[in-house]
Amino acid sequence: VVLVLSLLISGFAFTMHVETQVASYARKELKAEMLARSGIEVARMQLILGALSPTNSGYDALNQDWAANELLYVDHELGDGMFNVKVTDEESKIPINRATDVQLKRLFVLLGADPSDGDVIVDSILDWIDTDDLTRLNGAESDYYQSLSPPYRAKNAPLDRAEELLLIRGVTPELYRGTPATETDPAQPGLAEVFTTMTSGTINVNTASAIVLQTMLGLDEAQVQAVLSRRDGADGIPGTEDDMPFRTAAEFFAAIGNLDPVNAQAAQGVVTVNSSYFTVKSTGQVSGVKRTILATLHRAGAIVQIVMWREMREGT
């Protein structure tokens, strides 16, 4: 009897221990999620304050508080845990649904893709986005995708998320995610870093990378260097106090000098110094338990609304 009772008590104690651990983890996970939500709201408030600022209103740059705010964004302690926030300007990327074949071909040359592979990817992207079933010279429509396993159809509509690129012919995971730097080769950005579907269609020249400026505006290396030298300041590091961002599009055009007529005409409707869409990545952490939220915010004046929300667990 004593032995049976001991086994029952041991089993009950073990069950209670497991349930306690599960409840504790669930409680920590909930707190981590609330911290991540808090990080989203902190970034949202910084975007509102930036729009209301008498000194910074009218342009957005990487040295402003919405982008570089170590006090509020890095290991910010709150309650039992902390959160970390990163804000990305979507207007610093290429609007994939509006990019032309010339711009896309220019991008894949800059990424070092083989010319034949680049032609396949460019035509396949355009075939995926257009509304017809006519296949371009190097592209792919539903007849190609139906031959795959598992089969699927071409979307024939604009991309809703950049991840859809992985469904398109020729786009590999390495090309999409990019490659890290090695001892012999520099890091190569992936399509996930340069493309966006959340944008007004313009390029903020204060936040765009060199590869985006070259792709969208057709700038040569000397013109890109002139832009970076001006806006990144003497230290050459973006997001620091000595930055000198462009306050108007006219300042940008003055810095790059003469553009050829075709690129100059295309740039007139693309170049801007302010942004409307921002993606916030906020990670809450409590005792090793993490929750991450991705939210894209649309700012119109001092009104900031959430247009995309995605919750991710640790490891996803």
Side-chain angles (χ1 to χ4, degrees):
V1 172
V2 172
L3 177 62
V4 171
L5 289 176
S6 298
L7 291 174
L8 290 174
I9 293 172
S10 298
F12 179 75
F14 178 76
T15 301
M16 292 304 298
H17 175 73
V18 171
E19 290 184 358
T20 301
Q21 292 293 100
V22 170
S24 176
Y25 183 86
R27 184 169 59 251
K28 293 175 183 176
E29 193 175 43
L30 178 60
K31 288 183 178 180
E33 180 183 342
M34 294 301 106
L35 285 166
R37 288 174 177 264
S38 298
I40 299 292
E41 292 303 318
V42 168
R44 186 179 183 181
M45 180 56 63
Q46 291 304 306
L47 289 170
I48 294 173
L49 293 175
L52 297 175
S53 170
T55 57
N56 294 337
S57 61
Y59 72 98
D60 295 299
L62 296 176
N63 64 341
Q64 295 174 347
D65 284 343
W66 65 264
N69 198 323
E70 186 173 352
L71 179 63
L72 294 178
Y73 288 176
V74 181
D75 293 340
H76 187 96
E77 295 184 359
L78 183 63
D80 296 338
M82 66 176 65
F83 62 76
N84 284 275
V85 172
K86 181 181 180 181
V87 183
T88 302
D89 177 14
E90 291 298 307
E91 246 80 33
S92 69
K93 302 178 183 178
I94 300 168
I96 178 62
N97 292 318
R98 305 189 187 194
T100 66
D101 58 343
V102 173
Q103 291 168 335
L104 292 175
K105 288 179 180 179
R106 194 182 288 151
L107 170 66
F108 288 104
V109 169
L110 293 170
L111 290 176
D114 183 89
S116 58
D117 293 339
D119 290 341
V120 168
I121 298 171
V122 169
D123 284 356
S124 297
I125 290 175
L126 296 174
D127 277 339
W128 185 270
I129 294 173
D130 65 26
T131 58
D132 58 54
D133 289 317
L134 302 175
T135 305
R136 288 175 168 79
L137 179 62
N138 300 294
E141 286 285 0
S142 293
D143 54 351
Y144 169 81
Y145 299 111
Q146 288 290 321
S147 67
L148 303 178
S149 180
Y152 54 92
R153 298 183 63 83
K155 187 174 186 180
N156 288 336
L159 279 74
D160 293 310
R161 288 169 55 176
E163 290 93 328
E164 290 180 39
L165 288 164
L166 289 167
L167 298 172
I168 296 176
R169 179 185 180 187
V171 178
T172 62
E174 293 77 18
L175 181 61
Y176 178 76
R177 298 187 180 93
T179 54
T182 63
E183 294 182 357
T184 57
D185 299 314
Q188 189 73 287
L191 301 184
E193 297 178 51
V194 298
F195 280 139
T196 181
T197 60
M198 296 285 187
T199 175
S200 60
T202 56
I203 299 297
N204 186 339
V205 293
N206 286 324
T207 58
S209 64
I211 196 169
V212 172
L213 292 172
Q214 290 177 283
T215 297
M216 293 298 294
L217 306 179
L219 304 186
D220 58 33
E221 292 185 5
Q223 291 169 323
V224 169
Q225 188 57 46
V227 171
L228 299 181
S229 298
R230 153 66 195 269
R231 77 179 194 191
D232 295 345
D235 63 3
I237 302 174
T240 54
E241 292 183 358
D242 71 340
D243 288 5
M244 297 178 61
F246 302 103
R247 295 176 179 266
T248 64
E251 289 185 10
F252 169 77
F253 286 114
I256 62 175
N258 294 327
L259 277 175
D260 64 77
V262 175
N263 289 333
Q265 184 177 3
Q268 290 296 329
V270 174
V271 170
T272 185
V273 294
N274 50 49
S275 302
S276 301
Y277 289 87
F278 304 84
T279 292
V280 182
K281 180 179 181 181
S282 177
T283 300
Q285 180 176 349
V286 177
S287 300
V289 179
K290 297 181 180 180
R291 288 297 299 272
T292 298
I293 296 175
L294 283 177
T296 299
L297 312 178
H298 176 246
R299 184 180 65 184
I303 300 175
V304 179
Q305 296 178 319
I306 297 172
V307 295
M308 187 278 290
W309 185 273
R310 181 182 176 191
E311 298 183 12
M312 301 183 294
R313 294 179 183 273
E314 187 176 3
T316 60

